Amino acid sequence: FGAILLWRVLKERRIRVASGAAVGVALLLLPVVVLAPASFGQWLDSLGNASTALDVVPVETWKTATLAGLVRGWIFSIWGNAPTWPLWILPLVGLLAAASWVERYGAALSLVALSPVLLCLSYMFAPYGWVFDQAILLPLQVAIVSQAFQRDRPSGSRFGVLALLLGIQLVAILIGLRDEVAQYEFFWIPLALLGVWLWQWPRIEAHLTPETPAKE
């Protein structure tokens, strides 16, 4: 998401988007600096192969709710070890695939229309991402609800979208109530939200595409 957003901002010379993002990140990091300044050092330590710092777990052992975590969990269940290559290869593959798609099909879309899809793909292909990190998908859910309540949408379709979103949350809660649940068991949530978004895509695309003037 960040790489493609930066490319679009530089290409279209939207400096206000870049400066706004920088200010937003700074405001988010400020409370962390004040309340838990050691967390930055611990995070850097976790990237080491043999971290011995207190309460720091090396990133090589993480199997979180992303595609990389799912693949590592599967491999671990079969062979008893979790290789590190998914942490590096899968994010690169995701970035190249998303960039190719944006270059070919997404150039005509605004950042508002493109961002929900990129947020979902960004989380899915991230090297790691805990369940609470799925909070970054909130804009995607807001966009889904916003599109569902467009004036031209029938009420049945609107409540169908809401039912799908609530169903996704309910299934996730039920999975979380199990004993010894693994983080990577929640990998499907961004994929399910993306499916709901793509289900609405024909209507969204028609809403974004200008109407062709009728010939006289």
Side-chain angles (χ1 to χ4, degrees), residues 39-76:
S39 60
F40 292 100
Q42 292 177 345
W43 179 75
L44 292 175
D45 287 339
S46 69
L47 301 179
N49 292 327
S51 177
T52 59
L54 182 63
D55 297 329
V56 174
V57 180
V59 69
E60 285 80 3
T61 65
W62 297 359
K63 295 185 287 292
T64 57
T66 63
L67 180 59
L70 182 67
V71 171
R72 300 186 78 220
W74 280 347
I75 295 176
F76 182 82

mmCIF file of all heavy atoms in Angstrom, residues 39-76:
data_model
loop_
_atom_site.group_PDB
_atom_site.id
_atom_site.type_symbol
_atom_site.label_atom_id
_atom_site.label_comp_id
_atom_site.label_asym_id
_atom_site.label_seq_id
_atom_site.Cartn_x
_atom_site.Cartn_y
_atom_site.Cartn_z
ATOM 1 N N SER A 39 10.123 0.433 23.116
ATOM 2 C CA SER A 39 9.497 -0.466 22.154
ATOM 3 C C SER A 39 10.165 -0.402 20.786
ATOM 4 O O SER A 39 10.220 -1.402 20.066
ATOM 5 C CB SER A 39 8.005 -0.142 22.020
ATOM 6 O OG SER A 39 7.829 1.183 21.567
ATOM 7 N N PHE A 40 10.710 0.760 20.419
ATOM 8 C CA PHE A 40 11.372 0.874 19.118
ATOM 9 C C PHE A 40 12.645 0.025 19.085
ATOM 10 O O PHE A 40 12.907 -0.681 18.110
ATOM 11 C CB PHE A 40 11.706 2.336 18.818
ATOM 12 C CG PHE A 40 10.496 3.191 18.574
ATOM 13 C CD1 PHE A 40 9.994 4.002 19.577
ATOM 14 C CD2 PHE A 40 9.854 3.168 17.349
ATOM 15 C CE1 PHE A 40 8.875 4.781 19.363
ATOM 16 C CE2 PHE A 40 8.729 3.951 17.120
ATOM 17 C CZ PHE A 40 8.237 4.759 18.135
ATOM 18 N N GLY A 41 13.416 0.085 20.157
ATOM 19 C CA GLY A 41 14.621 -0.736 20.231
ATOM 20 C C GLY A 41 14.302 -2.217 20.265
ATOM 21 O O GLY A 41 14.990 -3.032 19.636
ATOM 22 N N GLN A 42 13.237 -2.587 20.982
ATOM 23 C CA GLN A 42 12.842 -3.987 21.021
ATOM 24 C C GLN A 42 12.388 -4.474 19.647
ATOM 25 O O GLN A 42 12.651 -5.614 19.267
ATOM 26 C CB GLN A 42 11.725 -4.174 22.050
ATOM 27 C CG GLN A 42 12.181 -3.967 23.487
ATOM 28 C CD GLN A 42 11.043 -4.092 24.468
ATOM 29 O OE1 GLN A 42 9.877 -4.063 24.092
ATOM 30 N NE2 GLN A 42 11.374 -4.214 25.745
ATOM 31 N N TRP A 43 11.682 -3.637 18.913
ATOM 32 C CA TRP A 43 11.241 -4.018 17.572
ATOM 33 C C TRP A 43 12.439 -4.240 16.656
ATOM 34 O O TRP A 43 12.479 -5.212 15.898
ATOM 35 C CB TRP A 43 10.323 -2.942 17.001
ATOM 36 C CG TRP A 43 9.857 -3.270 15.610
ATOM 37 C CD1 TRP A 43 8.910 -4.195 15.254
ATOM 38 C CD2 TRP A 43 10.306 -2.677 14.387
ATOM 39 N NE1 TRP A 43 8.750 -4.219 13.889
ATOM 40 C CE2 TRP A 43 9.596 -3.294 13.332
ATOM 41 C CE3 TRP A 43 11.245 -1.695 14.084
ATOM 42 C CZ2 TRP A 43 9.799 -2.952 12.003
ATOM 43 C CZ3 TRP A 43 11.435 -1.364 12.762
ATOM 44 C CH2 TRP A 43 10.718 -1.982 11.746
ATOM 45 N N LEU A 44 13.430 -3.355 16.740
ATOM 46 C CA LEU A 44 14.634 -3.539 15.927
ATOM 47 C C LEU A 44 15.374 -4.799 16.337
ATOM 48 O O LEU A 44 15.904 -5.534 15.494
ATOM 49 C CB LEU A 44 15.537 -2.302 16.059
ATOM 50 C CG LEU A 44 15.007 -1.010 15.434
ATOM 51 C CD1 LEU A 44 15.943 0.153 15.737
ATOM 52 C CD2 LEU A 44 14.840 -1.171 13.920
ATOM 53 N N ASP A 45 15.417 -5.081 17.654
ATOM 54 C CA ASP A 45 16.073 -6.300 18.126
ATOM 55 C C ASP A 45 15.381 -7.550 17.598
ATOM 56 O O ASP A 45 16.020 -8.576 17.347
ATOM 57 C CB ASP A 45 16.088 -6.339 19.659
ATOM 58 C CG ASP A 45 17.086 -5.340 20.245
ATOM 59 O OD1 ASP A 45 18.007 -4.927 19.511
ATOM 60 O OD2 ASP A 45 16.926 -4.967 21.422
ATOM 61 N N SER A 46 14.052 -7.479 17.439
ATOM 62 C CA SER A 46 13.312 -8.657 16.992
ATOM 63 C C SER A 46 13.650 -9.036 15.554
ATOM 64 O O SER A 46 13.388 -10.163 15.128
ATOM 65 C CB SER A 46 11.804 -8.403 17.101
ATOM 66 O OG SER A 46 11.382 -7.444 16.144
ATOM 67 N N LEU A 47 14.205 -8.082 14.797
ATOM 68 C CA LEU A 47 14.580 -8.371 13.411
ATOM 69 C C LEU A 47 15.889 -9.136 13.321
ATOM 70 O O LEU A 47 16.259 -9.610 12.243
ATOM 71 C CB LEU A 47 14.694 -7.067 12.606
ATOM 72 C CG LEU A 47 13.423 -6.207 12.557
ATOM 73 C CD1 LEU A 47 13.672 -4.942 11.752
ATOM 74 C CD2 LEU A 47 12.256 -6.979 11.967
ATOM 75 N N GLY A 48 16.610 -9.258 14.433
ATOM 76 C CA GLY A 48 17.858 -10.005 14.439
ATOM 77 C C GLY A 48 17.619 -11.507 14.485
ATOM 78 O O GLY A 48 16.593 -11.979 14.982
ATOM 79 N N ASN A 49 18.563 -12.260 13.973
ATOM 80 C CA ASN A 49 18.422 -13.714 13.940
ATOM 81 C C ASN A 49 18.574 -14.351 15.316
ATOM 82 O O ASN A 49 18.000 -15.393 15.590
ATOM 83 C CB ASN A 49 19.472 -14.328 12.999
ATOM 84 C CG ASN A 49 19.209 -13.970 11.557
ATOM 85 O OD1 ASN A 49 18.063 -13.820 11.160
ATOM 86 N ND2 ASN A 49 20.262 -13.812 10.780
ATOM 87 N N ALA A 50 19.364 -13.742 16.175
ATOM 88 C CA ALA A 50 19.639 -14.348 17.478
ATOM 89 C C ALA A 50 19.464 -13.312 18.577
ATOM 90 O O ALA A 50 20.377 -12.998 19.322
ATOM 91 C CB ALA A 50 21.046 -14.933 17.510
ATOM 92 N N SER A 51 18.281 -12.743 18.653
ATOM 93 C CA SER A 51 18.017 -11.716 19.649
ATOM 94 C C SER A 51 17.976 -12.324 21.043
ATOM 95 O O SER A 51 17.339 -13.339 21.281
ATOM 96 C CB SER A 51 16.687 -11.017 19.352
ATOM 97 O OG SER A 51 16.398 -10.067 20.344
ATOM 98 N N THR A 52 18.668 -11.694 21.975
ATOM 99 C CA THR A 52 18.689 -12.162 23.366
ATOM 100 C C THR A 52 18.102 -11.124 24.309
ATOM 101 O O THR A 52 18.176 -11.280 25.525
ATOM 102 C CB THR A 52 20.129 -12.486 23.804
ATOM 103 O OG1 THR A 52 20.937 -11.308 23.662
ATOM 104 C CG2 THR A 52 20.715 -13.612 22.968
ATOM 105 N N ALA A 53 17.521 -10.067 23.751
ATOM 106 C CA ALA A 53 16.952 -9.015 24.586
ATOM 107 C C ALA A 53 15.738 -9.537 25.361
ATOM 108 O O ALA A 53 15.045 -10.456 24.931
ATOM 109 C CB ALA A 53 16.542 -7.822 23.718
ATOM 110 N N LEU A 54 15.510 -8.940 26.515
ATOM 111 C CA LEU A 54 14.415 -9.361 27.375
ATOM 112 C C LEU A 54 13.074 -9.106 26.687
ATOM 113 O O LEU A 54 12.826 -8.019 26.160
ATOM 114 C CB LEU A 54 14.480 -8.604 28.701
ATOM 115 C CG LEU A 54 13.426 -8.969 29.759
ATOM 116 C CD1 LEU A 54 13.597 -10.423 30.180
ATOM 117 C CD2 LEU A 54 13.519 -8.019 30.936
ATOM 118 N N ASP A 55 12.202 -10.119 26.696
ATOM 119 C CA ASP A 55 10.847 -10.017 26.142
ATOM 120 C C ASP A 55 10.824 -9.748 24.641
ATOM 121 O O ASP A 55 9.839 -9.232 24.124
ATOM 122 C CB ASP A 55 10.047 -8.914 26.861
ATOM 123 C CG ASP A 55 9.849 -9.216 28.335
ATOM 124 O OD1 ASP A 55 9.773 -10.410 28.674
ATOM 125 O OD2 ASP A 55 9.787 -8.263 29.123
ATOM 126 N N VAL A 56 11.880 -10.075 23.940
ATOM 127 C CA VAL A 56 11.927 -9.875 22.491
ATOM 128 C C VAL A 56 12.015 -11.241 21.817
ATOM 129 O O VAL A 56 12.900 -12.037 22.123
ATOM 130 C CB VAL A 56 13.131 -9.005 22.077
ATOM 131 C CG1 VAL A 56 13.232 -8.935 20.560
ATOM 132 C CG2 VAL A 56 12.976 -7.602 22.651
ATOM 133 N N VAL A 57 11.087 -11.506 20.918
ATOM 134 C CA VAL A 57 11.059 -12.775 20.188
ATOM 135 C C VAL A 57 11.493 -12.497 18.751
ATOM 136 O O VAL A 57 10.928 -11.627 18.092
ATOM 137 C CB VAL A 57 9.650 -13.390 20.199
ATOM 138 C CG1 VAL A 57 9.635 -14.710 19.436
ATOM 139 C CG2 VAL A 57 9.170 -13.594 21.623
ATOM 140 N N PRO A 58 12.501 -13.200 18.222
ATOM 141 C CA PRO A 58 12.974 -12.953 16.854
ATOM 142 C C PRO A 58 11.858 -13.127 15.829
ATOM 143 O O PRO A 58 11.001 -14.002 15.968
ATOM 144 C CB PRO A 58 14.076 -14.005 16.666
ATOM 145 C CG PRO A 58 14.527 -14.329 18.046
ATOM 146 C CD PRO A 58 13.308 -14.219 18.909
ATOM 147 N N VAL A 59 11.872 -12.296 14.815
ATOM 148 C CA VAL A 59 10.822 -12.310 13.800
ATOM 149 C C VAL A 59 10.776 -13.641 13.059
ATOM 150 O O VAL A 59 9.741 -14.024 12.513
ATOM 151 C CB VAL A 59 11.034 -11.133 12.821
ATOM 152 C CG1 VAL A 59 12.265 -11.359 11.978
ATOM 153 C CG2 VAL A 59 9.814 -10.928 11.929
ATOM 154 N N GLU A 60 11.887 -14.377 13.022
ATOM 155 C CA GLU A 60 11.915 -15.659 12.316
ATOM 156 C C GLU A 60 10.965 -16.676 12.927
ATOM 157 O O GLU A 60 10.584 -17.642 12.270
ATOM 158 C CB GLU A 60 13.341 -16.233 12.306
ATOM 159 C CG GLU A 60 14.288 -15.553 11.343
ATOM 160 C CD GLU A 60 14.835 -14.248 11.895
ATOM 161 O OE1 GLU A 60 14.512 -13.929 13.056
ATOM 162 O OE2 GLU A 60 15.563 -13.554 11.179
ATOM 163 N N THR A 61 10.579 -16.474 14.180
ATOM 164 C CA THR A 61 9.688 -17.434 14.837
ATOM 165 C C THR A 61 8.220 -17.032 14.739
ATOM 166 O O THR A 61 7.354 -17.789 15.180
ATOM 167 C CB THR A 61 10.057 -17.577 16.317
ATOM 168 O OG1 THR A 61 9.815 -16.326 16.991
ATOM 169 C CG2 THR A 61 11.520 -17.958 16.477
ATOM 170 N N TRP A 62 7.928 -15.870 14.163
ATOM 171 C CA TRP A 62 6.553 -15.386 14.127
ATOM 172 C C TRP A 62 5.749 -16.117 13.053
ATOM 173 O O TRP A 62 6.181 -16.260 11.919
ATOM 174 C CB TRP A 62 6.522 -13.888 13.844
ATOM 175 C CG TRP A 62 7.183 -13.056 14.897
ATOM 176 C CD1 TRP A 62 7.766 -13.498 16.053
ATOM 177 C CD2 TRP A 62 7.345 -11.640 14.884
ATOM 178 N NE1 TRP A 62 8.282 -12.450 16.767
ATOM 179 C CE2 TRP A 62 8.043 -11.296 16.069
ATOM 180 C CE3 TRP A 62 6.986 -10.649 14.015
ATOM 181 C CZ2 TRP A 62 8.368 -9.980 16.377
ATOM 182 C CZ3 TRP A 62 7.310 -9.340 14.313
ATOM 183 C CH2 TRP A 62 7.987 -9.008 15.491
ATOM 184 N N LYS A 63 4.556 -16.554 13.413
ATOM 185 C CA LYS A 63 3.605 -17.126 12.457
ATOM 186 C C LYS A 63 2.285 -16.403 12.698
ATOM 187 O O LYS A 63 1.438 -16.850 13.475
ATOM 188 C CB LYS A 63 3.479 -18.637 12.650
ATOM 189 C CG LYS A 63 4.764 -19.403 12.333
ATOM 190 C CD LYS A 63 4.587 -20.904 12.414
ATOM 191 C CE LYS A 63 4.472 -21.385 13.838
ATOM 192 N NZ LYS A 63 5.742 -21.233 14.589
ATOM 193 N N THR A 64 2.132 -15.262 12.038
ATOM 194 C CA THR A 64 1.016 -14.367 12.312
ATOM 195 C C THR A 64 -0.081 -14.525 11.260
ATOM 196 O O THR A 64 -0.020 -15.398 10.398
ATOM 197 C CB THR A 64 1.508 -12.914 12.364
ATOM 198 O OG1 THR A 64 2.149 -12.592 11.119
ATOM 199 C CG2 THR A 64 2.510 -12.718 13.491
ATOM 200 N N ALA A 65 -1.096 -13.642 11.328
ATOM 201 C CA ALA A 65 -2.302 -13.774 10.510
ATOM 202 C C ALA A 65 -2.127 -13.174 9.120
ATOM 203 O O ALA A 65 -2.928 -12.354 8.664
ATOM 204 C CB ALA A 65 -3.482 -13.119 11.222
ATOM 205 N N THR A 66 -1.076 -13.585 8.426
ATOM 206 C CA THR A 66 -0.824 -13.154 7.060
ATOM 207 C C THR A 66 -0.577 -14.378 6.191
ATOM 208 O O THR A 66 -0.524 -15.510 6.678
ATOM 209 C CB THR A 66 0.403 -12.235 6.983
ATOM 210 O OG1 THR A 66 1.560 -12.978 7.395
ATOM 211 C CG2 THR A 66 0.243 -11.015 7.888
ATOM 212 N N LEU A 67 -0.431 -14.150 4.882
ATOM 213 C CA LEU A 67 -0.135 -15.264 3.986
ATOM 214 C C LEU A 67 1.187 -15.929 4.363
ATOM 215 O O LEU A 67 1.298 -17.166 4.356
ATOM 216 C CB LEU A 67 -0.081 -14.766 2.538
ATOM 217 C CG LEU A 67 0.230 -15.810 1.469
ATOM 218 C CD1 LEU A 67 -0.801 -16.927 1.479
ATOM 219 C CD2 LEU A 67 0.306 -15.161 0.083
ATOM 220 N N ALA A 68 2.179 -15.125 4.713
ATOM 221 C CA ALA A 68 3.464 -15.680 5.138
ATOM 222 C C ALA A 68 3.304 -16.525 6.395
ATOM 223 O O ALA A 68 3.881 -17.611 6.517
ATOM 224 C CB ALA A 68 4.471 -14.560 5.376
ATOM 225 N N GLY A 69 2.510 -16.058 7.341
ATOM 226 C CA GLY A 69 2.271 -16.820 8.551
ATOM 227 C C GLY A 69 1.539 -18.122 8.275
ATOM 228 O O GLY A 69 1.837 -19.159 8.881
ATOM 229 N N LEU A 70 0.570 -18.073 7.355
ATOM 230 C CA LEU A 70 -0.169 -19.281 6.996
ATOM 231 C C LEU A 70 0.749 -20.316 6.360
ATOM 232 O O LEU A 70 0.723 -21.504 6.724
ATOM 233 C CB LEU A 70 -1.307 -18.921 6.043
ATOM 234 C CG LEU A 70 -2.213 -20.068 5.606
ATOM 235 C CD1 LEU A 70 -3.015 -20.601 6.786
ATOM 236 C CD2 LEU A 70 -3.154 -19.605 4.490
ATOM 237 N N VAL A 71 1.579 -19.878 5.410
ATOM 238 C CA VAL A 71 2.501 -20.795 4.737
ATOM 239 C C VAL A 71 3.494 -21.377 5.732
ATOM 240 O O VAL A 71 3.774 -22.583 5.729
ATOM 241 C CB VAL A 71 3.225 -20.071 3.587
ATOM 242 C CG1 VAL A 71 4.346 -20.930 3.018
ATOM 243 C CG2 VAL A 71 2.232 -19.704 2.489
ATOM 244 N N ARG A 72 4.028 -20.545 6.619
ATOM 245 C CA ARG A 72 4.987 -21.029 7.614
ATOM 246 C C ARG A 72 4.323 -22.002 8.582
ATOM 247 O O ARG A 72 4.941 -22.975 9.016
ATOM 248 C CB ARG A 72 5.601 -19.859 8.372
ATOM 249 C CG ARG A 72 6.351 -18.881 7.479
ATOM 250 C CD ARG A 72 7.055 -17.825 8.296
ATOM 251 N NE ARG A 72 8.269 -18.380 8.877
ATOM 252 C CZ ARG A 72 8.687 -18.109 10.112
ATOM 253 N NH1 ARG A 72 7.967 -17.324 10.894
ATOM 254 N NH2 ARG A 72 9.805 -18.622 10.571
ATOM 255 N N GLY A 73 3.065 -21.740 8.927
ATOM 256 C CA GLY A 73 2.346 -22.648 9.811
ATOM 257 C C GLY A 73 2.115 -24.005 9.161
ATOM 258 O O GLY A 73 2.253 -25.050 9.812
ATOM 259 N N TRP A 74 1.751 -23.989 7.876
ATOM 260 C CA TRP A 74 1.561 -25.251 7.150
ATOM 261 C C TRP A 74 2.870 -26.042 7.085
ATOM 262 O O TRP A 74 2.890 -27.248 7.328
ATOM 263 C CB TRP A 74 1.049 -24.966 5.744
ATOM 264 C CG TRP A 74 -0.415 -24.681 5.692
ATOM 265 C CD1 TRP A 74 -1.328 -24.902 6.690
ATOM 266 C CD2 TRP A 74 -1.136 -24.111 4.604
ATOM 267 N NE1 TRP A 74 -2.571 -24.498 6.289
ATOM 268 C CE2 TRP A 74 -2.506 -24.015 5.015
ATOM 269 C CE3 TRP A 74 -0.788 -23.665 3.335
ATOM 270 C CZ2 TRP A 74 -3.493 -23.509 4.181
ATOM 271 C CZ3 TRP A 74 -1.777 -23.166 2.501
ATOM 272 C CH2 TRP A 74 -3.114 -23.081 2.925
ATOM 273 N N ILE A 75 3.948 -25.353 6.729
ATOM 274 C CA ILE A 75 5.241 -26.044 6.618
ATOM 275 C C ILE A 75 5.665 -26.598 7.967
ATOM 276 O O ILE A 75 6.182 -27.723 8.066
ATOM 277 C CB ILE A 75 6.302 -25.082 6.053
ATOM 278 C CG1 ILE A 75 5.939 -24.675 4.615
ATOM 279 C CG2 ILE A 75 7.688 -25.724 6.079
ATOM 280 C CD1 ILE A 75 6.872 -23.650 4.013
ATOM 281 N N PHE A 76 5.437 -25.827 9.037
ATOM 282 C CA PHE A 76 5.816 -26.285 10.363
ATOM 283 C C PHE A 76 5.025 -27.530 10.774
ATOM 284 O O PHE A 76 5.568 -28.453 11.396
ATOM 285 C CB PHE A 76 5.592 -25.165 11.386
ATOM 286 C CG PHE A 76 5.991 -25.531 12.783
ATOM 287 C CD1 PHE A 76 7.313 -25.447 13.178
ATOM 288 C CD2 PHE A 76 5.038 -25.966 13.703
ATOM 289 C CE1 PHE A 76 7.691 -25.785 14.469
ATOM 290 C CE2 PHE A 76 5.401 -26.306 14.992
ATOM 291 C CZ PHE A 76 6.735 -26.216 15.374
#
